[in-house]
Structure formats: C-alpha cells, structure tokens
Amino acid sequence: MASTPDLEQRRAALEAIADEIRQCTLCPLYTGRTHAVPGYGRVDADILFVGEGPGYHEDQQGLPFVGQSGHYLDELLGKIGLTRAEVFITNVVKCRPPNNRDPLPLEIDTCTTTYLHRQIAIIQPKVIATLGRFSMGLFFPPNARITRIHGQPHRADGRIYYPLFHPAAVLRNPNLRPDMEADFKRMLDLVAAAQPEVPPPDEPEDEPPPRQLSLF
Ligand code: URA
C-alpha cells in the first residue's frame, strides 16, 4: 500500500533524528560507542517500547534489543501476535554505557530531551510501554517501584503509559515470567482502549465517551 505524504514526512523526520543520533557528541557516552542505536520499527506504531540503553550486541549492530533480552522481547511480542516490525523499539539512552553500567542522570536528561521526546512526538504511539526502571522513571513518579506498578496502565497526555519489567530482569529471575506474560497479554486491549489524539471528523459530537480503563 502506498504511504501517505504525512507518513513519508514523519518517516523522513524520524530518519533525520536517527542521523543526528548517529553523529551525536552531546554526552560522554559517544566516546565508547561502536554504533549509536536510534531505534527500530514503524513510524506510526501504536506501541512504543522504551528500554534502558544498548548493550554489547546492540552497540555492535546499531539495532535495539538484538541480544538475549531482545530474543525474549521477540518471543513476548509473538505471544500477542506481533513482530518488532509492527511496533517501535528504542531506549532511554542511545549509546552503550561502559560495561553496561546504569546511565547517569546527565546522560538520561541529554538523550531524552534531545531525541526520545522528539521521536515520541513523531510516532505518536497510543501506548508507551516502559521496559525497566530507568524508562519507567521518565514517565512515573520517582517513588514508583516496578515490582508494585508493573502492568498498571496510566493514562496521561492522551496516551497510555504502561510499566513493564525489563526483559533482562525476567531472564535473571524466571519467577517474574508469568507476570511479564500476563502484562504483555493486556497490551492489545490497551491499544484498543486508547483514545485517538484527534477524534475522526465524522464522529457525532454527542456520542458517549469510550469506556474508561481502570487506571490508577
Ligand atoms: N537492553 C536495553 O535496555 N536495551 C537494548 O537495546 C538492549 C538491552
């Protein structure tokens, strides 16, 4: 199917950001990278996954979630009938922190204000699924604990934020698998329940609002 001009423009804008990321020198992480990892997927994805940052394999290939965590993410997507080409996957920081250490506040602030928020504005996902605590920390209060709030959708800014465990945490602790898989299974319901940013023009004004999700 031919893509609309709007979609072409959005794709070009996203690719321009990816080019900026590949040349970025705004924080010290660039000094250790092999490849920056801007993200992968559909420009008009309903679901945006935000992980923490590239690891060894992602740094080698320039693609997000291509190591063990990525294989598990693919498996989880497969269980709900999706592939990575049908969503968008990116990270809080786009360059690998040395020895996979936690990203620092300055690195997170620089990378998200310069790139992630612009990517979100272009993709306009209905659901932002956060993978792990650093990603969750961007959209949820600082005292939020992943073990308590995973799988609890939160509606704000016309979309749904959905906190999930990081796939690597689930691989390390297989007891988390049933929760992770149950959280994934709700994802398509969340997409269906998310309100579009702009209602379709032919929608009658007096139509009752769509059923609300039970959100906290
Ligand atoms: N872990 C992440 O958080 N992101 C990746 O891209 C890979 C592993």
Side-chain angles (χ1 to χ4, degrees), residues 51-55 58 64-65 69 91 166:
E52 180 177 321
E58 291 76 22
F65 281 95
S69 302
N91 282 301
H166 194 287

Side-chain angles (χ1 to χ4, degrees), residues 36-212:
V37 182
Y40 176 85
R42 285 181 71 110
V43 67
D44 58 348
D46 284 338
I47 306 173
L48 172 68
F49 288 92
V50 183
E52 180 177 321
Y56 172 81
H57 296 284
E58 291 76 22
D59 174 71
Q60 290 293 304
Q61 297 184 39
L63 290 168
F65 281 95
V66 289
Q68 277 207 325
S69 302
H71 294 150
Y72 182 44
L73 184 58
D74 286 334
E75 184 188 319
L76 289 162
L77 286 169
K79 283 179 192 288
I80 58 169
L82 293 177
T83 65
R84 63 170 58 212
E86 294 168 290
V87 299
F88 198 92
I89 304 174
T90 189
N91 282 301
V92 172
V93 295
K94 315 299 195 201
C95 296
R96 182 189 182 203
N99 301 314
N100 300 338
R101 67 152 167 73
D102 291 347
L104 303 175
L106 174 79
E107 296 158 357
I108 294 173
D109 283 355
T110 306
C111 210
T112 56
T113 55
T114 316
Y115 303 120
L116 179 64
H117 293 301
R118 286 164 64 209
Q119 290 176 309
I120 292 171
I122 292 168
I123 299 167
Q124 298 170 33
K126 291 179 177 164
V127 174
I128 295 185
T130 63
L131 297 171
R133 65 195 169 97
F134 286 96
S135 172
M136 180 185 72
L138 298 179
F139 306 106
F140 289 85
N143 62 350
R145 291 288 162 267
I146 187 88
T147 44
R148 292 188 48 184
I149 72 159
H150 73 88
Q152 294 182 39
H154 175 65
R155 192 191 288 276
D157 316 323
R159 67 171 54 98
I160 289 170
Y161 295 89
Y162 194 43
L164 299 171
F165 289 117
H166 194 287
V170 183
L171 291 177
R172 278 195 303 271
N173 178 1
N175 292 332
L176 299 177
R177 261 181 191 258
D179 278 351
M180 184 67 157
E181 290 171 19
D183 292 349
F184 252 78
K185 290 217 170 93
R186 282 190 71 198
M187 196 117 51
L188 294 183
D189 288 342
L190 296 181
V191 171
Q195 285 174 319
E197 294 274 305
V198 181
D202 57 352
E203 202 167 86
E205 295 262 306
D206 55 356
E207 191 134 298
R211 193 170 56 84
Q212 289 290 306

